[in-house]
Amino acid sequence: MTQRIAVLGATGSIGDSTLSILADHPKQYQVYALSGHGRLDKLFELCQQFKPSRVAVPEDKVDEFAARLQQANLTCDVVGGQAGLDDIAADTEVDTVVAAIVGAAGLASTLTAAKAGKRILLANKEALVMAGSLMMKAVKDNGATLLPLDSEHNAIFQCLPPEVQQHNTQIHDASYGINKLWLTASGGPFLYKSLQQMQTASVSEAVKHPNWSMGQKISVDSATMMNKGLELIEACHLFDLAESQINVVIHPQSIVHSMVEYCDGSFLAQMGSPDMRTPIAHALAYPKRITAGVKSLDLYQLSALEFIKPDLEKFACLKLAREAMQSGQEATIALNAANEVAVEAFIKEQVSLTDIALINGRVLDTMHQRSSANQSVDRDFRGSIRTLDDIVIIDKLARIQAQKEVAQCLS
Ligand code: NDP
Ligand code: MG
């Protein structure tokens, strides 16, 4: 049967990779809906190519975009803003939602898809960093399926026993012998550079990833290793493990995409070329397999595979992420928000690359102090967060604080 797919964030890097696979398998998948934000010319071209039934654009662009489609004789329902994204995420015609919007902007529609019981292919790691427990509960309560697209999490998923993959048993079930997860990290463009060189790095140097081609924000996050920090938090929620059960190891070749360590000494690893089409194709077809157009790994050409312990002084963001995960959800929301503001300021050349960790750390400290001082609030830094509104409030507070820290760096 044909799966009807909504690609939210269709104009981005994950959107590109997803649509290239869908284009290769038209009998199995129908592109039912797409969304874009700033790159609407690209979205228009995608509409011409895939002829979706629905498309979401920013609220103030709905009329203009609808007129443009009409002129091109394309019949397509155009919806706008957050309500439009939510409407598509919950559309009864949609089987699978690819959650590929970047940052906090992707949270609400992913949660909507979970509440609507969809099969969710999750690229938007921020949704779990901000709302891990809420999201996992919504998935469970509504019979949704959450399949990770992030290459490391997809690799771990592939290395888990099928009973654990399908939630027929818990990952903690001792008879399955899962000891630890190992998240691999490339180390980014500054792995072999000094902290001093990171301090003076330009935006173009920071986004030049050695192995992966990705959107700008995640590329900066890879340079600071904040990306691995976010992935650590993502993995804790996805696989229901404490941060102490997840190790991070730098593997500069990006061939081993992550590993599961078992009690008998076995390490199961998933390997392949660093190409996002592999995890996307895996999740699209799971539990079956489809071709992804990915170059086969030439093992004869591979040089040594290295594994290195990360330097947490140089990559302070990774340390902050571990600490935030230990503190609780309020801290992970604050860290994600601070980081989004700091990365944007770096891209605008307002702060240096190393200022990002500084800003993130200061925001976490301030939020922690504020939370400890405010006993009247019905949650503390370790407390549980019950609604999306709770999350939005903490996110906003952290952003305001981060803007102050950016201003401090500027002065
Ligand atoms: P891109 O920047 O390439 O694409 C982001 C997408 O989100 C675009 O479609 C963009 O629209 C849309 N978007 C941006 N802001 C908004 C907004 N406010 N409202 C609605 N839509 C918005 O990012 P990536 O594809 O690289 O990453 C997407 C997600 O996947 C991120 O969460 C990232 O961490 C994750 N990820 C990415 C990987 C990769 O290899 N790229 C690997 C693993 C995870 P437009 O372009 O039209 O402005
Ligand atoms: Mg990743």
Side-chain angles (χ1 to χ4, degrees):
M1 217 176 73
T2 311
Q3 250 191 73
R4 277 157 305 184
I5 317 275
V7 186
L8 303 184
T11 45
S13 162
I14 293 288
D16 281 344
S17 299
T18 305
L19 288 167
S20 86
I21 300 169
L22 298 180
D24 284 347
H25 301 279
K27 284 202 184 113
Q28 279 153 281
Y29 306 101
Q30 182 200 339
V31 178
Y32 176 78
L34 298 174
S35 90
H37 190 66
R39 288 175 272 190
L40 295 187
D41 287 340
K42 180 168 177 183
L43 186 65
F44 178 73
E45 283 167 24
L46 294 175
C47 289
Q48 286 180 308
Q49 184 184 351
F50 291 98
K51 305 198 168 39
S53 301
R54 307 191 74 187
V55 65
V57 296
E59 189 68 64
D60 59 339
K61 302 285 186 219
V62 171
D63 293 343
E64 190 185 327
F65 202 76
R68 203 169 161 190
L69 291 175
Q70 203 176 14
Q71 261 176 14
N73 284 326
L74 291 169
T75 317
C76 180
D77 175 34
V78 184
V79 291
Q82 189 55 55
L85 289 169
D86 285 342
D87 205 37
I88 288 177
D91 190 324
T92 50
E93 295 291 314
V94 170
D95 301 306
T96 298
V97 174
V98 179
I101 290 174
V102 65
L107 168 61
S109 52
T110 310
L111 196 57
T112 303
K115 287 180 180 161
K118 301 296 183 194
R119 182 177 168 108
I120 303 166
L121 273 48
L122 184 74
N124 178 256
K125 61 193 80 182
E126 296 87 349
L128 284 180
V129 173
M130 296 175 72
S133 43
L134 210 63
M135 187 74 69
M136 297 313 287
K137 186 173 182 324
V139 167
K140 198 170 165 210
D141 290 353
N142 297 285
T145 304
L146 192 59
L147 295 167
L149 293 190
D150 215 345
S151 58
E152 297 76 2
H153 306 73
N154 183 272
I156 288 167
F157 183 86
Q158 292 197 46
C159 297
L160 289 174
E163 294 80 0
V164 176
Q165 288 178 347
Q166 282 149 27
H167 301 285
N168 296 330
T169 189
Q170 290 221 336
I171 197 162
H172 308 282
D173 182 340
S175 55
Y176 287 87
I178 295 162
N179 264 6
K180 252 189 186 342
L181 305 183
W182 288 81
L183 281 179
T184 54
S186 70
F190 300 104
L191 176 60
Y192 300 114
K193 303 256 165 78
S194 66
L195 192 61
Q196 178 72 30
Q197 282 169 305
M198 267 179 93
Q199 219 148 20
T200 53
S202 68
V203 175
S204 62
E205 282 170 325
V207 299
K208 218 159 116 200
H209 198 279
N211 306 332
W212 297 93
S213 151
M214 309 182 285
Q216 203 173 31
K217 195 256 174 184
I218 184 174
S219 297
V220 176
D221 284 347
S222 295
T224 60
M225 281 193 78
M226 184 68 214
N227 183 46
K228 212 49 55 182
L230 297 175
E231 290 183 356
L232 175 79
I233 299 166
E234 180 186 13
C236 290
H237 291 295
L238 259 180
F239 302 115
D240 191 24
L241 291 174
E243 55 81 30
S244 56
Q245 290 168 288
I246 304 174
N247 282 1
V248 172
V249 62
I250 293 179
H251 165 50
Q253 292 78 19
S254 296
I255 297 296
V256 172
H257 297 306
S258 279
M259 292 165 272
V260 179
E261 179 185 341
Y262 287 85
C263 64
D264 58 4
S266 298
F267 277 61
L268 295 196
Q270 185 260 356
M271 292 173 35
S273 301
D275 188 323
M276 285 307 293
R277 287 175 300 175
T278 297
I280 296 169
H282 168 267
L284 274 169
Y286 177 80
K288 297 185 178 162
R289 298 268 178 179
I290 52 170
T291 57
V294 174
K295 211 172 87 206
S296 165
L297 198 57
D298 186 347
L299 292 175
Y300 296 128
Q301 290 296 317
L302 275 186
S303 57
L305 299 181
E306 297 167 278
F307 298 95
I308 306 164
K309 194 170 181 179
D311 172 351
L312 293 184
E313 213 174 304
K314 188 161 140 191
F315 297 114
C317 283
L318 181 55
K319 188 160 169 256
L320 288 176
R322 244 186 221 289
E323 288 166 0
M325 191 63 213
Q326 285 164 4
S327 286
Q329 198 181 348
E330 190 162 336
T332 62
I333 298 167
L335 178 61
N336 180 66
N339 185 61
E340 283 192 21
V341 171
V343 169
E344 202 185 319
F346 169 68
I347 290 169
K348 288 185 188 152
E349 299 179 356
Q350 294 171 335
V351 302
S352 75
L353 187 67
T354 46
D355 281 340
I356 294 175
L358 213 71
I359 293 166
N360 291 348
R362 286 182 183 158
V363 171
L364 279 180
D365 285 347
T366 311
M367 296 291 285
H368 189 61
Q369 281 158 16
R370 189 197 311 252
S371 177
S372 314
N374 192 355
Q375 300 295 334
S376 64
V377 176
D378 182 30
R379 54 182 131 67
D380 62 23
F381 220 55
R382 288 181 163 277
S384 67
I385 284 153
R386 282 179 284 274
T387 66
L388 194 54
D389 287 343
D390 289 341
I391 292 169
V392 171
I393 291 169
I394 298 163
D395 177 85
K396 268 205 186 119
L397 281 174
R399 278 171 203 271
I400 292 167
Q401 190 57 38
Q403 291 293 3
K404 284 187 195 161
E405 296 297 346
V406 169
Q408 188 93 25
C409 289
L410 277 170
S411 63

